[in-house]
Amino acid sequence: MNKMWKAALTIVPVALAVTACGGAQPSQSLQPGTSGADQAKPAKNVNLKFSFWGNDTHKKMYEDIIAKYKEKHPNVSVEIVTIPFADYQQKLSIMSASKSAPDIAWMAERMIPQFLSAGQLADLEPLKKDADYKYDDVIPSTLNLVTKDSKVYGIPFSTPPMMIYYNKTLFKEKNLPTPTELYKQGKWTYDEMMKAAKALANPAKGIYGVNFVRNGWQNWPDAMQSHFNAYGASLFNADGTAFTLNSKEGEQALQSYSDMIFKDKVHPKPGDQTTFDTGKIAMQKELFSYMGKAKAVKDFEWDIAPLPAGPNGPGTTIGYASYTILKDSPNYAEALELLKFMTNPDNMKLTSQYFVPSRKSILESEDFLKQGPSAESVKLSVVDQMPKANSLPSHKNWQQIDTKMQTIMDYLYAQNSSVKDVLTKAEKEVGPLLK
């Protein structure tokens, strides 16, 4: 018995509530100066909030994970708070300011600089010292965005490159080479994508050849950033101090996007909510996390392929989402235990059916390659693209930049300003926000 108590006192930090052992009891911190009788008291009931922008499929997966967690932590209840991605950063900012923020929150790359620079994220350093957690298995480069002054403030769980989901049935009906076939031949370019889009679009049936928009029309970076990269354009310079999109390359990229919608009419118009799963989008730009919805499709065959190449290459962007704990959480110990549970190897393997994992052992496993329509498709579209993919833009003033750019993009969508005028206006209004 003495040996057991000594072991427990050695391996359980004061801040944490339970061990990862299969026979662990409900969360109880071992506090100095308490008696055995005190330690035998039932753990206090704790209510945690976990916010995310996922869909119903993702929510069900987390409900199952949390149910497993609660089997060994019956005193901990977890409320899942769903916030649309377009509103997420603003709402989380308001909740943080009013001290009503969730304990654990998904955080995208564009949000992290704001919350990190404001000191609103909790330090997750205890995970580094937890042998059971296998912290060294997390790919170091994925931690760069959530590291400050050598301390880690988040654990990434989704690091996916943008890709193309395509309706294989439509390609077969038109006897066209698929994006995968063209990619393997070294011919998968934006020019070839446009040829296919024009051949596959069918206005009479409401079928569009291609769609760049995901998560709503306000989400212009997901729609446009990889396109900017492919043309050699960038939103701002490397240190984020100057607006650089108002350039020849930026104009070519934005004009190409505008032409898809308004000139060639192969892309849905602003406000159109047609989705890939309806069978009326031939090619959809999406992330790996869409896989859950795609797998539910029964009416047609589909597959995935890398993004096409432009004048400056494919310009693939990589999505990024990390679990974080808000610094004002009154339940840090319990939140850390839940975050640890959600990101352990077993559960990250489970979430990898929708999210590209940050754990090397899972990313390189056969099980992960089987998550998509085929192992070859996942390797070509995900694993092979990650080393050359670029992060989406991020800045500590991103919320203001994003709001301003949404307003400016409306001039393009309303077709009452030329592409050049839109870029000039963006430089004039966004530039000062960078300084």
Side-chain angles (χ1 to χ4, degrees):
M1 180 62 72
N2 286 336
K3 289 181 180 178
M4 289 174 65
W5 276 108
K6 287 178 181 177
L9 289 168
T10 300
I11 66 174
V12 182
V14 170
L16 300 184
V18 297
T19 70
C21 300
Q25 296 301 311
S27 172
Q28 297 184 61
S29 299
L30 297 179
Q31 300 291 345
T34 54
S35 67
D38 291 331
Q39 297 297 338
K41 291 179 181 178
K44 66 174 183 177
N45 290 329
V46 172
N47 297 312
L48 297 177
K49 286 186 178 180
F50 165 47
S51 69
F52 83 140
W53 58 80
N55 57 41
D56 289 342
T57 305
H58 303 149
K59 185 178 181 182
K60 176 61 170 61
M61 175 185 69
Y62 278 114
E63 287 172 344
D64 292 343
I65 289 173
I66 290 167
K68 279 195 260 181
Y69 181 79
K70 195 169 175 63
E71 287 175 7
K72 295 178 182 177
H73 305 79
N75 63 306
V76 179
S77 298
V78 183
E79 177 188 353
I80 299 177
V81 181
T82 305
I83 305 172
F85 185 80
D87 305 324
Y88 194 90
Q89 186 168 359
Q90 182 179 14
K91 287 193 175 181
L92 202 59
S93 298
I94 294 170
M95 292 165 79
S96 295
S98 63
K99 307 297 182 184
S100 61
D103 302 274
I104 300 177
W106 274 14
M107 200 77 73
E109 71 286 311
R110 66 197 67 175
M111 306 167 190
I112 291 167
Q114 173 193 326
F115 288 88
L116 195 54
S117 64
Q120 293 174 311
L121 302 183
D123 179 3
L124 307 183
E125 286 291 294
L127 295 180
K128 288 184 178 180
K129 303 169 186 176
D130 191 323
D132 291 336
Y133 185 67
K134 299 179 181 177
Y135 180 84
D136 291 343
D137 186 37
V138 180
I139 300 170
S141 62
T142 67
L143 293 163
N144 291 340
L145 277 173
V146 289
T147 299
K148 183 180 180 182
D149 299 329
S150 299
K151 291 185 177 180
V152 65
Y153 292 88
I155 297 296
F157 64 91
S158 182
T159 54
M162 196 68 76
M163 65 189 75
I164 294 290
Y165 284 71
Y166 64 91
N167 187 320
K168 205 170 180 179
T169 299
L170 289 178
F171 276 86
K172 284 182 178 180
E173 288 174 355
K174 293 286 185 178
N175 198 29
L176 294 172
T178 67
T180 301
E181 290 168 342
L182 290 170
Y183 178 80
K184 289 162 75 172
Q185 295 167 16
K187 298 177 181 179
W188 181 225
T189 64
Y190 275 99
D191 287 342
E192 290 297 325
M193 183 196 76
M194 281 304 297
K195 287 180 187 177
K198 290 175 182 178
L200 294 166
N202 188 335
K205 294 184 178 180
I207 296 175
Y208 295 102
V210 65
N211 186 23
F212 279 11
V213 175
R214 57 180 300 274
N215 279 334
W217 283 85
Q218 306 99 317
N219 192 10
W220 60 272
D222 271 6
M224 287 302 305
Q225 189 57 46
S226 57
H227 205 52
F228 292 151
N229 293 345
Y231 279 80
S234 59
L235 189 64
F236 34 71
N237 60 358
D239 60 3
T241 58
F243 186 85
T244 57
L245 189 60
N246 189 12
S247 62
K248 176 184 175 182
E249 295 80 8
E251 188 174 351
Q252 289 175 334
L254 197 56
Q255 189 65 60
S256 168
Y257 176 59
S258 177
D259 287 348
M260 289 181 202
I261 302 171
F262 301 106
K263 180 183 175 183
D264 299 315
K265 299 180 180 179
V266 298
H267 188 292
K269 287 185 178 180
D272 192 319
Q273 302 297 319
T274 303
T275 55
F276 180 74
D277 54 286
T278 64
K280 294 186 176 182
I281 300 288
M283 293 174 283
Q284 173 72 49
K285 184 188 288 187
E286 257 295 353
L287 291 174
F288 192 78
S289 56
Y290 186 76
M291 197 67 66
K293 277 195 171 182
K295 286 180 178 178
V297 170
K298 305 298 181 186
D299 299 331
F300 59 89
E301 268 191 280
W302 59 273
D303 206 341
I304 55 175
L307 290 182
N312 194 50
T316 305
T317 50
I318 191 167
Y320 188 92
S322 179
Y323 297 110
T324 61
I325 296 177
L326 277 297
K327 196 170 184 178
D328 288 334
S329 168
N331 305 300
Y332 172 80
E334 290 81 7
L336 185 64
E337 276 296 300
L338 178 57
L339 186 150
K340 173 184 169 183
F341 183 77
M342 290 195 295
T343 59
N344 69 26
D346 288 340
N347 282 316
M348 196 170 279
K349 180 179 178 181
L350 180 62
T351 60
S352 73
Q353 63 185 302
Y354 308 118
F355 310 129
V356 176
S358 61
R359 285 188 178 274
K360 186 178 179 181
S361 61
I362 301 169
L363 182 64
E364 296 177 349
S365 69
E366 288 186 17
D367 286 339
F368 176 69
L369 294 177
K370 293 176 183 177
Q371 298 287 358
S374 71
E376 180 190 44
S377 293
V378 174
K379 184 177 185 305
L380 291 178
S381 306
V382 181
V383 179
D384 290 354
Q385 304 307 313
M386 288 182 69
K388 45 195 172 185
N390 300 293
S391 296
L392 286 165
S394 60
H395 194 280
K396 66 179 181 180
N397 289 335
W398 181 257
Q399 194 171 343
Q400 292 174 286
I401 294 167
D402 185 30
T403 300
K404 184 65 68 176
M405 282 297 295
Q406 286 180 36
T407 302
I408 292 168
M409 286 295 288
D410 282 343
Y411 286 93
L412 177 73
Y413 292 148
Q415 287 289 277
N416 54 17
S417 293
S418 68
V419 165
K420 181 60 180 174
D421 287 344
V422 167
L423 290 173
T424 300
K425 188 173 183 64
E427 182 175 20
K428 180 181 178 181
E429 298 191 17
V430 175
L433 300 176
L434 302 175
K435 301 179 187 206

